[in-house]
Amino acid sequence: MFFKLLKDALKVKQVRSKILFTIFIILVFRVGTHITVPGINAKSLESLSNLSFLNMLSLVSGNALKNFSVFALGVSPYITASIVVQLLQMDILPKFVEWGKQGEVGRRKLNQATRYIALVLAFVQSIGITAGFHTLSSAKLVATPNWQTYVLIGILLTTGSMIVTWLGEQITDKGYGNGVSMIIFAGIVSAIPSTIGGIYTDYFVNVPKERLTSSLIFVGILIIAVLIIVYFTTFVEQAQYKIPIQYTKVAQGAPSSSYLPLKVNPAGVIPVIFASSITAAPAAILQFLSATNNNASWVRTLQSLFATTTPSGIAMYALLIILFTFFYTFVQINPEKTAENLQKSSAYIPGVRPGKGTEEYMGHLLRRLATVGSLFLGLISILPILARDLFGLSEAVAFGGTSLLIIISTGIEGMKQLEGYLLKRKYVGFMHVDE
């Protein structure tokens, strides 16, 4: 189905241009991930490969951090800034609440505020991560560790993060899919061959002959588990709950009833990206504080809350996913606006009073859907981490569930966007012929 859709899409010049533009932007990003920051010994990060927060940061940055490239921060600061701005719109900062009600003009102002906050966060985060990695690595990361060097590296990484954010916005505006998700998607896909190679080396090369059979069985079970997760994730991401809609005023030839489709997981994969970004940055800073404060007890306590190698850290990660799922579900679908739009369209839900009744009904329904979505996202993200602890798998495999969620969700959204655009063109073409 995917290849047939792609074949049909490539026949349309405008669609083909969008696809090629997206590929070009991704190639630019991938080239940037291999340009190491001057004055940095990127190989020193190999000694930190078993740190969970490094793999988490690398995941959110689109695997640009492992080379400590100019794009090392990726879209992580922008994601964090987006969370901050959305939280401030919830009756916390009056100016942001006002902008949120101003339509397109307000949206541009909020986007500008998000960029400014992301700029500050990127600079602070870049210096903190650089200093932390330099302290933790066995071979020193920074050639000349002084404040001038850290400021210069901070400027370079901040600039790189802003460029990646801009590239993501270009994909959103002129290409296909959500730009932030596509950037992360590209980094995850690029790391798949090395992950497969690592599993092959660990279970077939670096093992004695008498253990090859057990390794083969284990890898077979691992492949089956991945296929089950892919099937289950695809099923849930495409599942819909259809709300019946009736119209009081029906135009001639128009249907008197319809339905409002809601995804079973309305928030998509964004809560997982949010949780990963929020978890990774504090973990990196705490790791630096641990090294500079002689492993103080208060730092160790905080570390356990953000490290996915501890039960409390795993619980915190799952809790963040659940909270962000509820939060983003109501950001995506506002019950008050939905009820208002239905009333303006002379539509109503059978058995539900228009206005306040519809708003309450939608709020109750969204809470139920968010509960299902949060449990689904939390389960898929946590299972590989638990499997790592039980079977001694690598850190890369531990975040395989999160990676699969991002890959599948981004792929499905991209396909739906292609289908929608092709359907729109056929409809417009049909109308043009009739005229």
Side-chain angles (χ1 to χ4, degrees):
M1 179 182 176
F2 169 74
F3 292 105
K4 184 180 183 302
L5 180 64
L6 185 62
K7 183 180 178 182
D8 293 341
L10 290 174
K11 291 178 181 178
V12 182
K13 182 179 179 181
Q14 191 171 355
V15 179
R16 186 167 62 246
S17 299
K18 285 177 174 288
I19 294 173
L20 292 175
F21 178 80
T22 303
I23 293 173
F24 171 73
I25 294 294
I26 290 174
L27 285 175
V28 171
F29 167 71
R30 292 307 304 161
V31 170
T33 60
H34 291 87
I35 302 174
T36 305
V37 174
I40 290 292
N41 177 21
K43 289 185 178 179
S44 64
L45 292 178
E46 293 176 2
S47 61
L48 307 176
S49 58
N50 290 325
L51 292 176
S52 60
F53 77 85
L54 174 60
N55 289 281
M56 183 79 80
L57 275 172
S58 187
L59 174 70
V60 180
S61 68
N63 275 315
L65 184 61
K66 289 185 177 179
N67 299 324
F68 215 92
S69 70
V70 290
F71 290 166
L73 293 182
V75 290
S76 177
Y78 182 78
I79 293 171
T80 308
S82 299
I83 299 169
V84 172
V85 169
Q86 287 173 359
L87 286 172
L88 291 175
Q89 290 181 66
M90 299 175 69
D91 294 329
I92 295 176
L93 196 63
K95 198 67 178 177
F96 279 43
V97 176
E98 181 186 339
W99 288 347
K101 297 177 180 178
Q102 289 180 355
E104 183 63 26
V105 175
R107 189 179 69 84
R108 285 199 296 267
K109 292 178 181 177
L110 289 170
N111 286 341
Q112 195 69 19
T114 304
R115 293 189 188 97
Y116 287 137
I117 295 172
L119 188 69
V120 175
L121 287 174
F123 186 71
V124 174
Q125 189 175 339
S126 61
I127 293 178
I129 288 174
T130 305
F133 286 162
H134 178 74
T135 305
L136 294 169
S137 57
S138 53
K140 296 306 179 183
L141 178 71
V142 184
T144 54
N146 52 51
W147 71 268
Q148 294 99 327
T149 304
Y150 284 127
V151 169
L152 178 60
I153 292 173
I155 292 172
L156 289 174
L157 291 181
T158 300
T159 304
S161 179
M162 293 301 101
I163 292 173
V164 174
T165 300
W166 180 79
L167 291 174
E169 289 176 347
Q170 297 308 301
I171 291 176
T172 302
D173 294 340
K174 302 174 184 178
Y176 279 104
N178 179 282
V180 171
S181 299
M182 287 299 293
I183 292 292
I184 299 173
F185 171 87
I188 294 172
V189 171
S190 69
I192 289 177
S194 61
T195 301
I196 294 174
I199 292 173
Y200 176 78
T201 302
D202 291 341
Y203 291 98
F204 294 105
V205 177
N206 298 333
V207 295
K209 290 183 179 180
E210 57 270 18
R211 289 182 57 191
L212 281 176
T213 303
S214 60
S215 294
L216 185 62
I217 294 172
F218 180 81
V219 172
I221 293 173
L222 188 64
I223 292 172
I224 292 172
V226 169
L227 292 176
I228 291 173
I229 290 174
V230 169
Y231 175 80
F232 181 57
T233 303
T234 305
F235 175 78
V236 174
E237 285 297 313
Q238 295 189 87
Q240 291 183 342
Y241 183 90
K242 297 179 180 180
I243 304 174
I245 300 293
Q246 295 284 340
Y247 293 92
T248 54
K249 298 178 182 178
V250 183
Q252 186 176 0
S256 60
S257 63
S258 182
Y259 62 87
L260 176 65
L262 293 180
K263 292 178 65 176
V264 172
N265 177 31
V269 76
I270 298 298
V272 176
I273 298 176
F274 279 2
S276 301
S277 180
I278 290 295
T279 303
I285 295 170
L286 287 170
Q287 195 74 27
F288 168 67
L289 291 175
S290 175
T292 55
N293 288 274
N294 297 321
N295 207 17
S297 59
W298 66 273
V299 176
R300 289 200 306 271
T301 303
L302 289 175
Q303 276 183 304
S304 65
L305 291 176
F306 292 98
T308 55
T309 53
T310 63
S312 58
I314 294 173
M316 173 65 76
Y317 184 47
L319 180 62
L320 283 172
I321 290 175
I322 292 171
L323 291 176
F324 281 127
T325 301
F326 277 88
F327 169 70
Y328 201 72
T329 294
F330 283 87
V331 168
Q332 288 284 88
I333 306 169
N334 188 318
E336 184 181 353
K337 287 184 179 178
T338 303
E340 185 181 335
N341 291 335
L342 286 174
Q343 203 163 14
K344 287 179 179 178
S345 304
S346 300
Y348 66 95
I349 301 172
V352 180
R353 294 182 62 183
K356 193 68 176 178
T358 301
E359 182 183 341
E360 292 174 356
Y361 173 82
M362 288 297 299
H364 176 68
L365 180 60
L366 286 175
R367 281 191 291 272
R368 290 167 58 192
L369 292 177
T371 300
V372 175
S374 63
L375 292 176
F376 158 70
L377 293 175
L379 180 66
I380 298 298
S381 301
I382 296 303
L383 274 179
I385 297 176
L386 297 176
R388 172 203 62 190
D389 297 335
L390 291 173
F391 303 110
L393 301 176
S394 66
E395 285 291 335
V397 176
F399 294 106
T402 303
S403 301
L404 281 175
L405 278 171
I406 295 172
I407 289 174
I408 294 169
S409 298
T410 306
I412 290 174
E413 288 303 317
M415 284 184 63
K416 284 183 177 178
Q417 194 170 348
L418 272 179
E419 286 177 342
Y421 190 80
L422 290 175
L423 186 64
K424 179 182 176 183
R425 283 189 61 83
K426 287 180 181 178
Y427 176 75
V428 172
F430 175 76
M431 293 296 292
H432 180 71
V433 170
D434 282 353
E435 291 173 359

